[in-house]
Amino acid sequence: MTEPVRLSKRMSELGLCSRREADEWIERGWVRVDGKIVSELGSKILPNQRITIERQAAAQQSRRVTVILNKPMGFVSGQAEDGYKPAVTLVSGDTRWKEDKTPIQFHPSHLRSLVPAGRLDIDSVGLLVLTQDGRIAKQLIGEDTSIEKEYLVRVQYTKPGKLPDSDLKLLNHGLSLDGKKLLPAKVRWQNDDQLNFILREGKKRQIRRMCEAVGLKVLGLKRVRIGRVKLGELPVGQWRYLSSDEQF
């Protein structure tokens, strides 16, 4: 017989919401298992049992926003660190991109629980996703995510001559970090001093460390795409809402 699992874990696995949201909905009596309301935190169910959520939960979820920000240098993705401001402080009515076509009216409540779905280092720029929606966070940074992230990386070779083709192949597949083999990447020259990286994982300072391993120094790093969502013409330091017809 299949082992019972926590209801909140199962809801997250099914992509209904994040675990935190699941716990909140369970406490409010918004979750049914095989038609019966389950309101006790930590309740366990069998994987084949049917989970439904009340309309209030769906309505609350539909009001959650996701923001696409063009992060400048000098801002951290998450919590404030060493005197540096978090990227969320850039989100205000004044910094919203004038070309944003979404009909959503900015409201200060959109800043509540608006968290980064993935990191972008303090010295890196470009596309950063901030979301109130646990489903999107799980999609982008969950353990089994396979969504591509694309970067433009300006580099300088620290050895004589040019980077050998064999080392470019290593960047594509064959390097390890922290004793663990990296997933295959797509790395190619964009122009004489700029590489295009497409990754399906995001270890801490991964691109910088990969480059270092083959004698390349990173001079600039910009994320330009996550899945199907592109940075496009969004100006530095400005943001827009993810529209209802956009999907990562």
Side-chain angles (χ1 to χ4, degrees):
M1 187 175 166
T2 313
E3 287 293 311
V5 292
R6 279 180 76 109
L7 175 56
S8 57
K9 182 174 189 277
R10 183 65 181 143
M11 287 170 69
S12 172
E13 286 172 353
L14 291 170
L16 296 172
C17 58
S18 68
R19 284 205 202 184
R20 190 176 64 184
E21 281 174 316
D23 283 339
E24 183 190 327
W25 294 355
I26 291 164
E27 278 190 309
R28 292 186 177 197
W30 290 352
V31 180
R32 291 177 184 264
V33 176
D34 293 339
K36 292 181 181 174
I37 288 174
V38 175
S39 56
E40 190 177 325
L41 287 179
S43 296
K44 293 191 172 187
I45 67 163
L46 293 169
N48 61 353
Q49 290 187 273
R50 185 165 174 263
I51 301 168
T52 51
I53 58 171
E54 301 291 281
R55 278 182 308 188
Q56 300 98 306
Q60 184 196 68
Q61 199 170 48
S62 70
R63 290 194 296 270
R64 298 208 159 136
V65 299
T66 296
V67 160
I68 304 298
L69 171 71
N70 188 346
K71 185 188 92 66
M73 207 174 282
F75 285 81
V76 290
S77 298
Q79 300 294 325
E81 288 173 33
D82 305 326
Y84 292 107
K85 289 183 177 179
V88 71
T89 59
L90 291 165
V91 181
S92 71
D94 295 334
T95 54
R96 183 178 181 180
W97 189 28
K98 299 290 186 283
E99 300 286 318
D100 187 356
K101 300 289 195 293
T102 50
I104 305 168
Q105 293 288 315
F106 174 73
H107 192 271
S109 65
H110 294 167
L111 299 175
R112 201 176 303 134
S113 304
L114 189 66
V115 295
R119 290 175 54 88
L120 201 52
D121 295 330
I122 191 166
D123 42 5
S124 301
V125 301
L127 177 56
L128 182 67
V129 177
L130 301 156
T131 188
Q132 293 178 322
D133 191 332
R135 293 168 303 175
I136 286 179
K138 183 175 186 290
Q139 192 183 24
L140 298 188
I141 56 176
E143 285 175 21
D144 53 354
T145 184
S146 62
I147 288 180
E148 290 185 345
K149 298 172 181 74
E150 183 175 354
Y151 304 81
L152 296 178
V153 187
R154 199 164 295 285
V155 293
Q156 181 181 13
Y157 194 42
T158 58
K159 299 174 186 177
K162 284 187 163 186
L163 181 77
D165 287 345
S166 56
D167 281 352
L168 184 64
K169 281 180 183 170
L170 262 185
L171 288 172
N172 279 271
H173 193 212
L175 290 177
S176 297
L177 288 182
D178 306 322
K180 203 172 177 189
K181 270 202 176 303
L182 294 174
L183 295 176
K186 295 174 192 167
V187 186
R188 60 180 173 81
W189 286 105
Q190 185 88 3
N191 52 46
D192 287 349
D193 66 347
Q194 191 166 247
L195 287 165
N196 179 289
F197 271 76
I198 297 175
L199 305 180
R200 289 182 181 270
E201 60 189 331
K203 296 186 184 297
K204 194 170 182 182
R205 298 182 79 80
Q206 178 172 336
I207 290 176
R208 293 173 192 277
R209 292 165 71 195
M210 287 172 74
C211 287
E212 204 174 279
V214 295
L216 289 170
K217 182 182 179 184
V218 172
L219 304 177
L221 191 154
K222 180 180 187 179
R223 184 157 61 204
V224 294
R225 177 175 68 86
I226 298 178
R228 295 180 193 160
V229 176
K230 295 178 180 177
L231 183 63
E233 302 294 315
L234 184 63
V236 176
Q238 294 187 28
W239 63 275
R240 66 174 179 85
Y241 288 109
L242 184 75
S243 67
S244 56
D245 61 352
E246 277 184 297
Q247 287 190 331
F248 289 99

